């Protein structure tokens, strides 16, 4: 679209205080949009906590807005976050699963509560600094992977629906992170070199186990070797552990008899959680068969187009964010669940996490691993 086509049209940009959303706002202003900023406050349990960065983020947002010459609205979504995201997050951990709060954050807060508020502000569109793309094709809106494959965030956005995508712009879709930082430097935005946030969505970067302990009680139990049932340690609570976990087990000195190629004893990994008996099962070696599966069931399905994908069709999928796409086919799918079979075994497939399905660059959607 040309600058003239956008003139007079209002877009509300979610400003986080980081470089990505700042450059997203800047690009839209250059394209002629009437840009308004929105800063979302979504956590207030421990505002004085060393890990809560919202105060500094707001200062950065105001500096960005001043530099770009845009107005900013500050809105508190803490109540919505607790009800729609955090309550489910805790109940999933309590049940022994490992949820992905970023997925819920996007569908419930950034593209629901934020979208509703933006409409009240008179917006035609909303925009974020996500690395993803959207396009209209054959009368439907498609969610696309970003050009920068190392930063692509479509995995976290797979629950977006047609209405949400129709209202959304992703200005960074065709940019690489290095170029985004360079553009921020050239525009003299002070956040050009600000470190990316890698913490829990809206909660910040903090020791995760200690954080969970504030909400979920400790319940100590045995750590056993899955291969021989031998008790080799004690855990503080099954909720604090996830499949494939290596660090924080405190059994590094235990020898299970299995040695690697260099003669050293292989590391231990969490392989199973027996919730009924409060036992954490571990195995030795990254490639232990207990950590590998070639099939999974997914529930709570969400398909971007609103239509179910084909069965027995070659797709690609990933069961965690930092993972390469793996060829797969959907063996069965209905409104409630689907069965996905991979061409190669997948490592540490974890209940509660999301499996996201792709057809080339198009994100079709996915579901929660059962």
């Amino acid at each position: 679209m040309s600058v003239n086509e956008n003139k007079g049209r209002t877009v509300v940009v979610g400003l986080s205080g980081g470089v990505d959303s700042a450059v997203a706002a800047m690009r839209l202003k250059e394209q002629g949009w009437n840009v308004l900023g929105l800063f979302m406050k979504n956590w207030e349990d421990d505002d004085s906590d060393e890990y809560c960065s919202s105060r500094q983020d707001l200062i950065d947002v105001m500096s960005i807005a001043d530099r770009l010459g845009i107005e900013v609205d500050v809105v508190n979504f803490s109540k919505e976050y607790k009800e729609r995201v955090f309550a489910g997050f805790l109940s999933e951990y309590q049940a022994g699963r490992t949820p992905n709060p970023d997925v819920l954050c996007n569908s419930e807060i950034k593209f629901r509560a934020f979208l509703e508020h933006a409409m009240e502000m008179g917006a035609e569109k909303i925009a974020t600094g996500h690395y993803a793309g959207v396009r209209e094709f054959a009368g439907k809106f498609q969610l696309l992977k970003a050009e920068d494959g190392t930063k692509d965030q479509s995995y976290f956005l797979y629950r977006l629906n047609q209405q949400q995508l129709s209202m959304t712009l992703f200005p960074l879709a065709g940019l690489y992170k290095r170029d985004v930082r360079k553009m921020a430097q050239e525009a003299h935005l002070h956040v050009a070199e600000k470190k990316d946030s890698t913490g829990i969505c809206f909660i910040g970067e903090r020791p995760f186990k200690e954080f969970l302990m504030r909400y979920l009680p400790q319940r100590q139990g045995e750590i056993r070797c899955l291969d021989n049932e031998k008790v080799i340690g004690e855990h503080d609570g099954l909720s604090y552990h996830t499949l494939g976990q290596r660090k924080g087990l405190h059994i590094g000195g235990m020898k299970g008899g299995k040695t690697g190629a260099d003669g050293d004893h292989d590391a231990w990994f969490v392989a199973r959680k027996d919730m009924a008996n409060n036992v954490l099962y571990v195995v030795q070696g990254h490639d232990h068969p207990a950590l590998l599966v070639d099939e999974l069931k997914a529930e709570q399905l969400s398909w971007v187009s609103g239509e179910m994908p084909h069965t027995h069709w070659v797709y690609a999928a990933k069961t965690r964010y930092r993972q390469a796409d793996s060829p797969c086919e959907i063996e069965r799918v209905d409104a409630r669940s689907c069965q996905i079979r991979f061409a190669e075994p997948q490592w540490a497939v974890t209940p509660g996490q999301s499996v996201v399905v792709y057809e080339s660059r198009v994100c079709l959607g996915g579901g929660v691993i059962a």
Side-chain angles (χ1 to χ4, degrees):
M1 267 189 187
S2 69
V3 171
N4 287 337
E5 284 180 275
N6 294 328
K7 198 169 178 63
R9 304 178 73 200
T10 298
V11 59
V12 176
V13 182
L15 291 175
S16 66
V19 64
D20 296 328
S21 59
V23 170
M26 182 179 74
R27 280 175 65 81
L28 290 167
K29 192 149 197 248
E30 290 169 351
Q31 292 167 14
W33 288 89
N34 171 37
V35 178
L36 301 175
L38 186 75
F39 178 77
M40 293 172 268
K41 180 175 174 58
N42 300 286
W43 188 256
E44 38 182 34
D45 271 25
D46 47 14
D47 265 355
S48 59
D49 192 293
E50 63 178 305
Y51 302 110
C52 193
S53 62
S54 63
R55 210 172 267 121
Q56 182 58 50
D57 290 338
L58 179 56
I59 292 169
D60 290 336
V61 163
M62 292 308 183
S63 174
I64 291 162
D66 186 56
R67 181 74 193 164
L68 297 179
I70 62 176
E71 293 181 16
V72 175
D73 194 11
V74 178
V75 64
N76 192 325
F77 287 140
S78 299
K79 181 174 178 286
E80 289 86 346
Y81 181 80
K82 272 209 158 175
E83 290 174 355
R84 300 183 193 177
V85 178
F86 196 61
F89 169 84
L90 288 181
S91 66
E92 282 288 279
Y93 267 104
Q94 207 154 16
R97 294 183 287 270
T98 306
N100 193 315
D102 292 293
V103 170
L104 269 178
C105 251
N106 284 322
S107 62
E108 293 295 329
I109 306 297
K110 291 183 182 176
F111 293 89
R112 185 174 161 196
F114 166 37
L115 177 57
E116 290 165 3
H117 189 84
M119 295 303 101
E120 293 171 8
M121 293 170 66
E124 277 188 58
K125 298 275 188 179
I126 62 169
T128 69
H130 283 99
Y131 286 84
V134 60
R135 74 177 175 195
E136 193 172 359
F137 180 78
K140 294 270 189 177
F141 288 89
Q142 294 181 326
L143 175 63
L144 305 177
K145 288 184 178 181
E147 182 69 26
D148 188 344
T150 65
K151 297 299 292 183
D152 173 57
Q153 293 172 301
S154 59
Y155 176 89
F156 298 118
L157 301 169
Y158 80 89
R159 291 175 75 118
L160 298 192
N161 59 36
Q162 288 293 293
Q163 192 265 339
Q164 291 166 322
L165 281 177
S166 73
M167 300 292 296
T168 301
L169 301 173
F170 293 118
L172 308 187
L175 298 178
Y176 284 78
K177 182 72 179 208
R178 61 177 180 270
D179 298 322
V180 169
R181 290 202 183 276
K182 187 179 178 185
M183 291 166 75
Q185 285 172 337
E186 291 171 350
H188 303 291
L189 293 171
H190 78 288
V191 293
E193 297 302 326
K194 185 175 179 180
K195 186 184 169 196
D196 290 345
S197 171
T198 56
I200 306 166
C201 182
F202 292 134
I203 299 173
E205 301 180 46
R206 64 183 79 220
F208 188 60
K209 182 179 175 182
E210 285 84 339
F211 175 74
L212 273 184
M213 281 179 167
R214 288 161 46 180
Y215 298 92
L216 302 178
Q218 293 187 49
R219 188 179 168 221
Q220 288 158 331
E222 296 173 343
I223 299 177
R224 293 186 188 178
C225 174
L226 183 65
D227 292 321
N228 57 21
E229 290 283 341
K230 181 181 176 184
V231 177
I232 57 174
E234 187 178 71
H235 65 80
D236 293 329
L238 293 181
S239 297
Y240 313 141
H241 298 283
T242 187
L243 300 195
Q245 178 183 337
R246 175 179 174 177
K247 295 180 179 177
L249 298 175
H250 308 298
I251 53 173
M254 293 299 301
K255 303 293 187 268
K258 189 179 177 191
T259 56
D262 57 2
D264 290 337
H265 286 268
D266 283 350
W268 293 96
F269 294 86
V270 174
R272 206 176 101 203
K273 296 198 273 188
D274 181 349
M275 300 302 292
N277 296 301
N278 195 30
V279 176
L280 186 71
Y281 283 98
V282 295
V283 294
Q284 269 192 299
H286 181 277
D287 298 321
H288 190 286
L291 294 170
L292 301 169
V293 297
D294 57 12
E295 193 168 358
L296 63 81
K297 180 183 178 184
E299 299 174 336
Q300 301 175 47
L301 305 177
S302 181
W303 305 111
V304 174
S305 69
E307 299 171 5
M308 289 185 282
H310 303 293
T311 55
H312 306 295
W313 197 274
V314 178
Y315 293 119
K318 58 175 73 180
T319 59
R320 57 185 67 214
Y321 173 51
R322 293 291 182 194
Q323 182 186 60
D325 292 359
S326 299
C328 69
E329 68 173 60
I330 297 172
E331 295 193 321
R332 178 195 58 76
V333 61
D334 57 35
R336 298 186 62 180
S337 67
C338 71
Q339 200 77 19
I340 298 176
R341 178 173 287 278
F342 290 88
E344 299 287 338
Q346 302 298 296
W347 188 80
V349 171
T350 305
Q353 290 285 295
S354 290
V355 57
V356 180
V357 182
Y358 293 87
E359 187 168 31
S360 187
R361 290 185 57 230
V362 180
C363 176
L364 301 181
V368 178
I369 298 166

PDB file of all heavy atoms in Angstrom, residues 235-262:
ATOM      1  N   HIS A 235      12.574 -35.767  44.427  1.00  0.00           N
ATOM      2  CA  HIS A 235      12.153 -34.511  43.792  1.00  0.00           C
ATOM      3  C   HIS A 235      11.300 -33.694  44.764  1.00  0.00           C
ATOM      4  O   HIS A 235      10.763 -34.228  45.745  1.00  0.00           O
ATOM      5  CB  HIS A 235      11.381 -34.790  42.493  1.00  0.00           C
ATOM      6  CG  HIS A 235      10.075 -35.509  42.701  1.00  0.00           C
ATOM      7  ND1 HIS A 235       8.920 -34.870  43.112  1.00  0.00           N
ATOM      8  CD2 HIS A 235       9.731 -36.824  42.557  1.00  0.00           C
ATOM      9  CE1 HIS A 235       7.928 -35.738  43.209  1.00  0.00           C
ATOM     10  NE2 HIS A 235       8.396 -36.939  42.884  1.00  0.00           N
ATOM     11  N   ASP A 236      11.165 -32.404  44.499  1.00  0.00           N
ATOM     12  CA  ASP A 236      10.378 -31.502  45.355  1.00  0.00           C
ATOM     13  C   ASP A 236       8.900 -31.473  44.972  1.00  0.00           C
ATOM     14  O   ASP A 236       8.061 -31.024  45.736  1.00  0.00           O
ATOM     15  CB  ASP A 236      10.919 -30.064  45.267  1.00  0.00           C
ATOM     16  CG  ASP A 236      12.303 -29.941  45.870  1.00  0.00           C
ATOM     17  OD1 ASP A 236      12.594 -30.692  46.808  1.00  0.00           O
ATOM     18  OD2 ASP A 236      13.084 -29.089  45.402  1.00  0.00           O
ATOM     19  N   GLY A 237       8.607 -31.911  43.749  1.00  0.00           N
ATOM     20  CA  GLY A 237       7.232 -31.863  43.262  1.00  0.00           C
ATOM     21  C   GLY A 237       7.221 -32.106  41.765  1.00  0.00           C
ATOM     22  O   GLY A 237       8.032 -31.527  41.036  1.00  0.00           O
ATOM     23  N   LEU A 238       6.344 -32.973  41.289  1.00  0.00           N
ATOM     24  CA  LEU A 238       6.306 -33.300  39.863  1.00  0.00           C
ATOM     25  C   LEU A 238       5.988 -32.074  39.004  1.00  0.00           C
ATOM     26  O   LEU A 238       6.405 -31.994  37.854  1.00  0.00           O
ATOM     27  CB  LEU A 238       5.275 -34.398  39.595  1.00  0.00           C
ATOM     28  CG  LEU A 238       5.582 -35.786  40.184  1.00  0.00           C
ATOM     29  CD1 LEU A 238       4.477 -36.768  39.817  1.00  0.00           C
ATOM     30  CD2 LEU A 238       6.930 -36.303  39.686  1.00  0.00           C
ATOM     31  N   SER A 239       5.254 -31.128  39.571  1.00  0.00           N
ATOM     32  CA  SER A 239       4.865 -29.936  38.809  1.00  0.00           C
ATOM     33  C   SER A 239       6.065 -29.109  38.360  1.00  0.00           C
ATOM     34  O   SER A 239       5.978 -28.356  37.392  1.00  0.00           O
ATOM     35  CB  SER A 239       3.948 -29.038  39.650  1.00  0.00           C
ATOM     36  OG  SER A 239       2.756 -29.711  39.965  1.00  0.00           O
ATOM     37  N   TYR A 240       7.175 -29.230  39.072  1.00  0.00           N
ATOM     38  CA  TYR A 240       8.350 -28.412  38.768  1.00  0.00           C
ATOM     39  C   TYR A 240       9.230 -29.013  37.676  1.00  0.00           C
ATOM     40  O   TYR A 240      10.273 -28.449  37.337  1.00  0.00           O
ATOM     41  CB  TYR A 240       9.206 -28.206  40.027  1.00  0.00           C
ATOM     42  CG  TYR A 240       8.436 -27.796  41.262  1.00  0.00           C
ATOM     43  CD1 TYR A 240       8.775 -28.298  42.511  1.00  0.00           C
ATOM     44  CD2 TYR A 240       7.353 -26.915  41.181  1.00  0.00           C
ATOM     45  CE1 TYR A 240       8.076 -27.937  43.650  1.00  0.00           C
ATOM     46  CE2 TYR A 240       6.654 -26.546  42.319  1.00  0.00           C
ATOM     47  CZ  TYR A 240       7.016 -27.060  43.549  1.00  0.00           C
ATOM     48  OH  TYR A 240       6.316 -26.700  44.675  1.00  0.00           O
ATOM     49  N   HIS A 241       8.839 -30.161  37.147  1.00  0.00           N
ATOM     50  CA  HIS A 241       9.677 -30.847  36.163  1.00  0.00           C
ATOM     51  C   HIS A 241       8.936 -31.057  34.850  1.00  0.00           C
ATOM     52  O   HIS A 241       7.703 -31.140  34.818  1.00  0.00           O
ATOM     53  CB  HIS A 241      10.152 -32.197  36.715  1.00  0.00           C
ATOM     54  CG  HIS A 241      10.995 -32.061  37.949  1.00  0.00           C
ATOM     55  ND1 HIS A 241      12.315 -31.662  37.907  1.00  0.00           N
ATOM     56  CD2 HIS A 241      10.686 -32.240  39.260  1.00  0.00           C
ATOM     57  CE1 HIS A 241      12.784 -31.615  39.143  1.00  0.00           C
ATOM     58  NE2 HIS A 241      11.830 -31.963  39.982  1.00  0.00           N
ATOM     59  N   THR A 242       9.707 -31.169  33.769  1.00  0.00           N
ATOM     60  CA  THR A 242       9.112 -31.371  32.447  1.00  0.00           C
ATOM     61  C   THR A 242       9.881 -32.443  31.690  1.00  0.00           C
ATOM     62  O   THR A 242      11.068 -32.686  31.974  1.00  0.00           O
ATOM     63  CB  THR A 242       9.105 -30.044  31.653  1.00  0.00           C
ATOM     64  OG1 THR A 242       8.380 -30.219  30.434  1.00  0.00           O
ATOM     65  CG2 THR A 242      10.521 -29.587  31.317  1.00  0.00           C
ATOM     66  N   LEU A 243       9.239 -33.092  30.753  1.00  0.00           N
ATOM     67  CA  LEU A 243       9.896 -34.151  29.989  1.00  0.00           C
ATOM     68  C   LEU A 243      11.088 -33.598  29.211  1.00  0.00           C
ATOM     69  O   LEU A 243      11.029 -32.505  28.644  1.00  0.00           O
ATOM     70  CB  LEU A 243       8.911 -34.795  29.007  1.00  0.00           C
ATOM     71  CG  LEU A 243       7.663 -35.456  29.582  1.00  0.00           C
ATOM     72  CD1 LEU A 243       7.008 -36.346  28.531  1.00  0.00           C
ATOM     73  CD2 LEU A 243       7.988 -36.286  30.821  1.00  0.00           C
ATOM     74  N   GLY A 244      12.157 -34.369  29.214  1.00  0.00           N
ATOM     75  CA  GLY A 244      13.372 -33.937  28.532  1.00  0.00           C
ATOM     76  C   GLY A 244      14.274 -33.073  29.391  1.00  0.00           C
ATOM     77  O   GLY A 244      15.385 -32.728  28.985  1.00  0.00           O
ATOM     78  N   GLN A 245      13.823 -32.731  30.590  1.00  0.00           N
ATOM     79  CA  GLN A 245      14.623 -31.878  31.481  1.00  0.00           C
ATOM     80  C   GLN A 245      15.892 -32.599  31.908  1.00  0.00           C
ATOM     81  O   GLN A 245      15.881 -33.771  32.237  1.00  0.00           O
ATOM     82  CB  GLN A 245      13.794 -31.516  32.714  1.00  0.00           C
ATOM     83  CG  GLN A 245      14.539 -30.669  33.743  1.00  0.00           C
ATOM     84  CD  GLN A 245      13.680 -30.408  34.967  1.00  0.00           C
ATOM     85  OE1 GLN A 245      12.450 -30.472  34.912  1.00  0.00           O
ATOM     86  NE2 GLN A 245      14.322 -30.137  36.099  1.00  0.00           N
ATOM     87  N   ARG A 246      16.994 -31.841  31.891  1.00  0.00           N
ATOM     88  CA  ARG A 246      18.280 -32.409  32.290  1.00  0.00           C
ATOM     89  C   ARG A 246      18.815 -31.730  33.555  1.00  0.00           C
ATOM     90  O   ARG A 246      19.308 -32.387  34.461  1.00  0.00           O
ATOM     91  CB  ARG A 246      19.282 -32.248  31.145  1.00  0.00           C
ATOM     92  CG  ARG A 246      20.692 -32.690  31.495  1.00  0.00           C
ATOM     93  CD  ARG A 246      21.644 -32.531  30.329  1.00  0.00           C
ATOM     94  NE  ARG A 246      23.016 -32.830  30.712  1.00  0.00           N
ATOM     95  CZ  ARG A 246      24.036 -32.827  29.871  1.00  0.00           C
ATOM     96  NH1 ARG A 246      23.833 -32.549  28.593  1.00  0.00           N
ATOM     97  NH2 ARG A 246      25.243 -33.109  30.286  1.00  0.00           N
ATOM     98  N   LYS A 247      18.710 -30.406  33.595  1.00  0.00           N
ATOM     99  CA  LYS A 247      19.265 -29.664  34.726  1.00  0.00           C
ATOM    100  C   LYS A 247      18.293 -29.645  35.904  1.00  0.00           C
ATOM    101  O   LYS A 247      17.087 -29.756  35.739  1.00  0.00           O
ATOM    102  CB  LYS A 247      19.592 -28.234  34.299  1.00  0.00           C
ATOM    103  CG  LYS A 247      20.692 -28.157  33.243  1.00  0.00           C
ATOM    104  CD  LYS A 247      20.974 -26.718  32.848  1.00  0.00           C
ATOM    105  CE  LYS A 247      22.086 -26.645  31.818  1.00  0.00           C
ATOM    106  NZ  LYS A 247      22.338 -25.266  31.352  1.00  0.00           N
ATOM    107  N   GLY A 248      18.856 -29.487  37.087  1.00  0.00           N
ATOM    108  CA  GLY A 248      18.034 -29.318  38.278  1.00  0.00           C
ATOM    109  C   GLY A 248      17.507 -30.601  38.890  1.00  0.00           C
ATOM    110  O   GLY A 248      16.642 -30.575  39.767  1.00  0.00           O
ATOM    111  N   LEU A 249      18.030 -31.750  38.458  1.00  0.00           N
ATOM    112  CA  LEU A 249      17.570 -33.025  39.016  1.00  0.00           C
ATOM    113  C   LEU A 249      18.382 -33.446  40.241  1.00  0.00           C
ATOM    114  O   LEU A 249      17.944 -34.271  41.033  1.00  0.00           O
ATOM    115  CB  LEU A 249      17.649 -34.127  37.952  1.00  0.00           C
ATOM    116  CG  LEU A 249      16.777 -33.930  36.710  1.00  0.00           C
ATOM    117  CD1 LEU A 249      17.040 -35.040  35.690  1.00  0.00           C
ATOM    118  CD2 LEU A 249      15.303 -33.921  37.090  1.00  0.00           C
ATOM    119  N   HIS A 250      19.591 -32.898  40.352  1.00  0.00           N
ATOM    120  CA  HIS A 250      20.481 -33.181  41.497  1.00  0.00           C
ATOM    121  C   HIS A 250      20.786 -34.668  41.657  1.00  0.00           C
ATOM    122  O   HIS A 250      20.851 -35.202  42.771  1.00  0.00           O
ATOM    123  CB  HIS A 250      19.892 -32.616  42.792  1.00  0.00           C
ATOM    124  CG  HIS A 250      19.521 -31.166  42.702  1.00  0.00           C
ATOM    125  ND1 HIS A 250      20.452 -30.182  42.456  1.00  0.00           N
ATOM    126  CD2 HIS A 250      18.315 -30.542  42.790  1.00  0.00           C
ATOM    127  CE1 HIS A 250      19.843 -28.999  42.408  1.00  0.00           C
ATOM    128  NE2 HIS A 250      18.548 -29.199  42.603  1.00  0.00           N
ATOM    129  N   ILE A 251      20.957 -35.339  40.513  1.00  0.00           N
ATOM    130  CA  ILE A 251      21.349 -36.752  40.556  1.00  0.00           C
ATOM    131  C   ILE A 251      22.552 -36.976  39.633  1.00  0.00           C
ATOM    132  O   ILE A 251      22.796 -38.091  39.182  1.00  0.00           O
ATOM    133  CB  ILE A 251      20.186 -37.689  40.136  1.00  0.00           C
ATOM    134  CG1 ILE A 251      19.606 -37.265  38.778  1.00  0.00           C
ATOM    135  CG2 ILE A 251      19.107 -37.713  41.195  1.00  0.00           C
ATOM    136  CD1 ILE A 251      18.576 -38.237  38.224  1.00  0.00           C
ATOM    137  N   GLY A 252      23.273 -35.913  39.360  1.00  0.00           N
ATOM    138  CA  GLY A 252      24.394 -36.000  38.423  1.00  0.00           C
ATOM    139  C   GLY A 252      25.454 -37.008  38.828  1.00  0.00           C
ATOM    140  O   GLY A 252      26.112 -37.609  37.987  1.00  0.00           O
ATOM    141  N   GLY A 253      25.608 -37.224  40.138  1.00  0.00           N
ATOM    142  CA  GLY A 253      26.635 -38.151  40.599  1.00  0.00           C
ATOM    143  C   GLY A 253      26.209 -39.602  40.575  1.00  0.00           C
ATOM    144  O   GLY A 253      27.015 -40.499  40.780  1.00  0.00           O
ATOM    145  N   MET A 254      24.924 -39.821  40.321  1.00  0.00           N
ATOM    146  CA  MET A 254      24.421 -41.209  40.319  1.00  0.00           C
ATOM    147  C   MET A 254      24.828 -41.917  39.038  1.00  0.00           C
ATOM    148  O   MET A 254      24.719 -41.383  37.950  1.00  0.00           O
ATOM    149  CB  MET A 254      22.893 -41.213  40.429  1.00  0.00           C
ATOM    150  CG  MET A 254      22.388 -40.699  41.765  1.00  0.00           C
ATOM    151  SD  MET A 254      22.946 -41.700  43.158  1.00  0.00           S
ATOM    152  CE  MET A 254      22.274 -43.299  42.699  1.00  0.00           C
ATOM    153  N   LYS A 255      25.272 -43.145  39.163  1.00  0.00           N
ATOM    154  CA  LYS A 255      25.686 -43.932  38.002  1.00  0.00           C
ATOM    155  C   LYS A 255      24.644 -45.014  37.726  1.00  0.00           C
ATOM    156  O   LYS A 255      24.279 -45.764  38.612  1.00  0.00           O
ATOM    157  CB  LYS A 255      27.056 -44.592  38.253  1.00  0.00           C
ATOM    158  CG  LYS A 255      28.160 -43.586  38.609  1.00  0.00           C
ATOM    159  CD  LYS A 255      28.487 -42.686  37.424  1.00  0.00           C
ATOM    160  CE  LYS A 255      29.691 -41.822  37.715  1.00  0.00           C
ATOM    161  NZ  LYS A 255      29.404 -40.517  38.289  1.00  0.00           N
ATOM    162  N   GLY A 256      24.209 -45.062  36.482  1.00  0.00           N
ATOM    163  CA  GLY A 256      23.212 -46.058  36.120  1.00  0.00           C
ATOM    164  C   GLY A 256      23.815 -47.175  35.300  1.00  0.00           C
ATOM    165  O   GLY A 256      23.128 -48.062  34.836  1.00  0.00           O
ATOM    166  N   GLY A 257      25.099 -47.092  35.053  1.00  0.00           N
ATOM    167  CA  GLY A 257      25.765 -48.146  34.319  1.00  0.00           C
ATOM    168  C   GLY A 257      25.937 -47.851  32.843  1.00  0.00           C
ATOM    169  O   GLY A 257      26.740 -48.483  32.175  1.00  0.00           O
ATOM    170  N   LYS A 258      25.189 -46.861  32.306  1.00  0.00           N
ATOM    171  CA  LYS A 258      25.277 -46.575  30.882  1.00  0.00           C
ATOM    172  C   LYS A 258      26.341 -45.512  30.640  1.00  0.00           C
ATOM    173  O   LYS A 258      26.341 -44.459  31.258  1.00  0.00           O
ATOM    174  CB  LYS A 258      23.920 -46.076  30.364  1.00  0.00           C
ATOM    175  CG  LYS A 258      23.885 -45.964  28.859  1.00  0.00           C
ATOM    176  CD  LYS A 258      22.521 -45.501  28.397  1.00  0.00           C
ATOM    177  CE  LYS A 258      22.539 -45.337  26.885  1.00  0.00           C
ATOM    178  NZ  LYS A 258      21.357 -44.665  26.383  1.00  0.00           N
ATOM    179  N   THR A 259      27.264 -45.809  29.734  1.00  0.00           N
ATOM    180  CA  THR A 259      28.328 -44.858  29.440  1.00  0.00           C
ATOM    181  C   THR A 259      28.280 -44.440  27.995  1.00  0.00           C
ATOM    182  O   THR A 259      27.847 -45.170  27.117  1.00  0.00           O
ATOM    183  CB  THR A 259      29.720 -45.475  29.730  1.00  0.00           C
ATOM    184  OG1 THR A 259      29.853 -46.684  28.983  1.00  0.00           O
ATOM    185  CG2 THR A 259      29.882 -45.761  31.200  1.00  0.00           C
ATOM    186  N   GLY A 260      28.740 -43.203  27.762  1.00  0.00           N
ATOM    187  CA  GLY A 260      28.780 -42.673  26.401  1.00  0.00           C
ATOM    188  C   GLY A 260      30.025 -43.153  25.682  1.00  0.00           C
ATOM    189  O   GLY A 260      30.831 -43.928  26.212  1.00  0.00           O
ATOM    190  N   ALA A 261      30.218 -42.649  24.460  1.00  0.00           N
ATOM    191  CA  ALA A 261      31.344 -43.067  23.624  1.00  0.00           C
ATOM    192  C   ALA A 261      32.675 -42.692  24.244  1.00  0.00           C
ATOM    193  O   ALA A 261      33.690 -43.357  24.033  1.00  0.00           O
ATOM    194  CB  ALA A 261      31.207 -42.443  22.233  1.00  0.00           C
ATOM    195  N   ASP A 262      32.689 -41.606  25.048  1.00  0.00           N
ATOM    196  CA  ASP A 262      33.958 -41.173  25.647  1.00  0.00           C
ATOM    197  C   ASP A 262      34.222 -41.842  26.993  1.00  0.00           C
ATOM    198  O   ASP A 262      35.186 -41.522  27.675  1.00  0.00           O
ATOM    199  CB  ASP A 262      33.961 -39.644  25.810  1.00  0.00           C
ATOM    200  CG  ASP A 262      32.791 -39.150  26.642  1.00  0.00           C
ATOM    201  OD1 ASP A 262      32.013 -40.001  27.122  1.00  0.00           O
ATOM    202  OD2 ASP A 262      32.661 -37.928  26.819  1.00  0.00           O
TER     203      ASP A 262
END
